[in-house]
Amino acid sequence: MTVTVPRPKLNWRERLYLPAILAGLVITFKHFKNMLFGRTKVTMQYPEQRWDSNLPDHYRGAPALVRDEDGRVRCVACQLCEFICPPRAIKIIPGEIPSKDRFAKVEKYPEAFDIDMIRCIFCGMCEEVCPEQAIYLRKDYAITGFTRAEMVHHKEKLLEIGGVMHGVVLKWNDKK
Amino acid sequence: MDFPFVVISLLKIVGILFLVILPMVSYAVYAERRVSAFIQDRLGPNRVGPAGLFQPIADMFKLLLKEDFTPANVNTFYYWLAPCLAVMPAIITIAVVPFGSTLFGVPMVIADVNVGILFVFAIASLGVYGIVIGGWASNSKYPFLGGIRSSAQMLSYELSLGLAVIPVFLLVGNLRLTSVVRYQIEHGWSIAPFVGDWTNPWKWLLTVPMVTSFLVFMIAIFAETNRLPFDLPEAEQELAGGYNTEYSSMKFALYFLGEYTAMITGSAVIVTLFFGGWHLPGIPDGSHGWIFGLINIVVFFGKVAVMIFVFMWVRWTLPRFRYDQLMRLGWLFFFEIALVNIFVVAAILSFVRL
């Protein structure tokens, strides 16, 4: 079925088109002028201006390992995060804590803890699943590197990003 | 032909081409990007150098270092020839345009020929060959369509282009572009005769057809240079870039260069014909000292820059015409307006000698 769309009838002034063209030119010139005198609000100029201080507390940036107040790596190498990780970005090699150690009862610690940041999807499941409150998603988002190897965060790098976490449960301390 | 004349002409050619036109072209590209960005509430290129001013240099390196790819089934000879043909006419046209009064007693026009405007038309219409041959040689559908469109468009608008300037020459009585400027210095600019006996009402009556003539000429120049209300040959949305689809690297850059050079020469011709060339009221010509000669050149290119801004401004305001609208506009309106305009000016001039 053909539908005839009625076209609006233009009067002579509209059919001249010149007033419309001039009005258009005026509008574009206004935009040009406002931009030239810096009156238009523009996008944030990213590398110079950043949103960092306004990031919300629940922001999910790079995952990182944390230490507690005693300086102990909180991770006990239970490998739950490794299992839960949807893109399989985490790889843990557990090691045994020697019996002379103050925290010998913890038994395990991660000998190696690698997160492949090319694979990581910042979902935060590792943080959610961790029974030891050892892994947190921090606010770092600009993670770059020239090679694939550079993009794998090893344990040292993860601890450096994570730093020390205060005010979490210290269930392995001597008193308990 | 004596030796100093040849040397001076060569100096003028090299000076105007490499010191003015080519830098102006590269900065016109930069300006286009900035102006379009500003009109659209963006910032445009602002990273390379202060306010992005070194962007053209970065662009040049990018284009030079890109792979110069020649598709398999092109007509190689014409494929290589076409980009050169696109640039050449635009640059040659500047030869007859007086871009300044005199500098150290040397007239600032490369070739002061007595067929000035005819030369401009003759050479400028060659510009279409670059596009048509490029479209044909690419052996691809979209460039071919672009080339076809271009040839039809040029044909339609060349007529109104030629007819639109006749009133100016009826007034001046001479095809030499330097005498057009000379006339405007004595009698006031074609579209705004504030100089001379400016209280004469006949002169102001004459500005009405002059402004009409200017509008028709400018619109025809838009069509000639494939600028936006008439950029059908390179319609990105319809033809994937039109005639330059198959081109890459420096050959593509040459097309770009040609378009912007054509824009500059078009603006230069408009300024010469309608805005008094290098003349600005109150500034004497170069015979009063070399500093005034330089100022005249600066004034001329200042006017050209304003015209180029108008080109960009129009480009980022108006949408593209449909093909039939383009043809209708060219043949049914501008052609007739230009024709009637000639008779109006002739009638006025037959009653009053200015």
Side-chain angles (χ1 to χ4, degrees):
Chain A
M1 196 184 83
T2 34
V3 178
T4 313
V5 181
R7 299 226 170 229
K9 216 71 190 130
L10 302 180
N11 61 31
W12 67 270
R13 194 169 168 275
E14 284 165 333
R15 261 186 304 152
L16 201 60
Y17 292 114
L18 282 177
I21 288 174
L22 285 180
L25 286 173
V26 168
I27 288 172
T28 44
F29 192 75
K30 262 185 207 151
H31 279 260
F32 177 78
K33 195 186 63 190
N34 286 342
M35 194 70 201
L36 197 65
F37 296 128
R39 261 178 268 157
T40 312
K41 215 173 171 185
V42 288
T43 334
M44 179 176 284
Q45 295 297 295
Y46 164 62
E48 289 90 22
Q49 306 169 355
R50 289 176 189 234
W51 195 242
D52 290 13
S53 55
N54 297 49
L55 289 177
D57 287 336
H58 56 266
Y59 185 83
R60 299 203 305 255
L65 292 178
V66 295
R67 293 173 188 274
D68 59 18
E69 284 101 327
D70 298 324
R72 186 181 67 88
V73 179
R74 289 185 63 88
C75 178
V76 297
C78 68
Q79 294 177 303
L80 276 176
C81 50
E82 191 176 354
F83 286 123
I84 200 78
C85 184
R88 298 188 185 173
I90 301 175
K91 192 167 158 258
I92 301 169
I93 299 173
E96 196 180 338
I97 299 179
S99 50
K100 299 254 172 25
D101 195 279
R102 183 181 159 205
F103 291 106
K105 59 187 167 185
V106 180
E107 288 180 1
K108 276 166 87 191
Y109 79 102
E111 214 166 88
F113 195 114
D114 298 342
I115 302 183
D116 188 348
M117 292 311 293
I118 294 177
R119 307 206 69 155
C120 177
I121 57 170
F122 303 92
C123 62
M125 283 206 179
C126 44
E127 177 181 342
E128 213 168 306
V129 81
C130 185
E132 294 289 326
Q133 294 175 294
I135 187 163
Y136 285 92
L137 265 61
R138 288 300 166 97
K139 290 184 180 177
D140 310 55
Y141 52 86
I143 295 148
T144 54
F146 289 106
T147 57
R148 279 166 187 277
E150 246 177 84
M151 290 298 286
V152 177
H153 284 182
H154 296 296
K155 195 175 146 190
E156 299 76 40
K157 173 82 179 170
L158 292 169
L159 284 167
E160 186 197 319
I161 300 173
V164 179
M165 195 69 159
H166 294 274
V168 284
V169 180
L170 301 169
K171 65 177 175 184
W172 298 106
N173 279 19
D174 307 323
K175 284 164 244 165
K176 294 179 184 147
Chain B
M1 195 172 282
D2 50 342
F3 185 66
F5 175 75
V6 175
V7 171
I8 286 172
S9 291
L10 274 178
L11 272 180
K12 275 193 280 192
I13 292 169
V14 171
I16 196 71
L17 194 61
F18 289 101
L19 294 183
V20 183
I21 299 293
L22 291 183
M24 220 165 158
V25 167
S26 43
Y27 277 92
V29 178
Y30 165 75
E32 170 98 64
R33 293 170 67 183
R34 288 290 272 192
V35 168
S36 69
F38 278 19
I39 283 175
Q40 296 168 350
D41 293 345
R42 295 181 287 116
L43 280 173
N46 64 348
R47 292 278 153 188
V48 195
L53 276 173
F54 300 148
Q55 184 71 34
I57 299 163
D59 283 347
M60 184 192 74
F61 277 113
K62 187 198 91 172
L63 284 163
L64 277 173
L65 295 175
K66 272 176 103 168
E67 186 190 0
D68 197 353
F69 184 75
T70 308
N73 292 314
V74 297
N75 189 330
T76 319
F77 176 70
Y78 290 118
Y79 183 78
W80 280 78
L81 182 70
C84 314
L85 280 181
V87 184
M88 225 169 47
I91 291 179
I92 294 174
T93 320
I94 207 77
V96 294
V97 177
F99 53 87
S101 51
T102 52
L103 198 62
F104 303 114
V106 181
M108 280 293 109
V109 50
I110 293 166
D112 191 11
V113 291
N114 57 1
V115 288
I117 195 70
L118 294 181
F119 179 85
V120 170
F121 289 154
I123 301 296
S125 55
L126 291 180
V128 70
Y129 280 109
I131 295 170
V132 174
I133 291 177
W136 172 256
S138 295
N139 195 12
S140 164
K141 288 181 195 71
Y142 287 132
F144 180 66
L145 280 173
I148 294 287
R149 280 183 177 192
S150 175
S151 59
Q153 174 180 325
M154 296 275 176
L155 215 67
S156 323
Y157 280 84
E158 205 101 293
L159 269 174
S160 23
L161 189 74
L163 290 174
V165 293
I166 289 177
V168 177
F169 293 100
L170 281 178
L171 207 60
V172 179
N174 194 337
L175 288 179
R176 204 186 279 267
L177 288 177
T178 42
S179 34
V180 175
V181 176
R182 190 58 59 190
Y183 179 89
Q184 292 185 66
I185 291 169
E186 284 156 17
H187 297 84
W189 301 358
S190 297
I191 65 155
F194 278 108
V195 195
D197 53 339
W198 60 275
T199 44
N200 187 350
W202 286 103
K203 225 164 157 174
W204 286 100
L205 183 65
L206 209 56
T207 57
V208 176
M210 279 302 162
V211 169
T212 319
S213 182
F214 160 66
L215 286 178
V216 173
F217 187 75
M218 197 169 78
I219 290 162
I221 285 279
F222 282 153
E224 279 287 298
T225 52
N226 296 322
R227 293 293 296 182
L228 199 90
F230 309 105
D231 75 334
L232 288 129
E234 48 182 316
E236 286 89 353
Q237 296 86 352
E238 303 156 34
L239 299 181
Y243 57 86
N244 55 29
T245 309
E246 303 289 341
Y247 283 90
S248 57
S249 179
M250 212 49 210
K251 291 212 277 294
F252 174 75
L254 276 180
Y255 269 124
F256 230 72
L257 198 76
E259 186 188 324
Y260 281 87
T261 317
M263 207 164 97
I264 288 171
T265 45
S267 308
V269 172
I270 291 176
V271 166
T272 308
L273 292 178
F274 298 101
F275 290 93
W278 43 264
H279 172 249
L280 200 67
I283 295 177
D285 64 8
S287 57
H288 295 80
W290 63 271
I291 188 78
F292 291 115
L294 268 186
I295 290 174
N296 287 151
I297 295 176
V298 171
V299 165
F300 180 77
F301 284 106
K303 286 180 186 176
V304 170
V306 172
M307 273 317 293
I308 290 171
F309 173 74
V310 173
F311 270 65
M312 291 170 184
W313 180 19
V314 169
R315 172 170 179 182
W316 295 99
T317 303
L318 301 180
R320 183 182 302 125
F321 279 108
R322 215 170 50 209
Y323 192 67
D324 61 314
Q325 291 171 334
L326 173 94
M327 284 294 151
R328 212 164 76 100
L329 215 60
W331 288 103
L332 292 184
F333 292 99
F334 293 136
F335 181 56
E336 271 75 1
I337 290 172
L339 211 58
V340 169
N341 206 23
I342 293 170
F343 285 109
V344 170
V345 173
I348 295 175
L349 284 181
S350 67
F351 283 116
V352 55
R353 280 308 322 163
L354 287 172

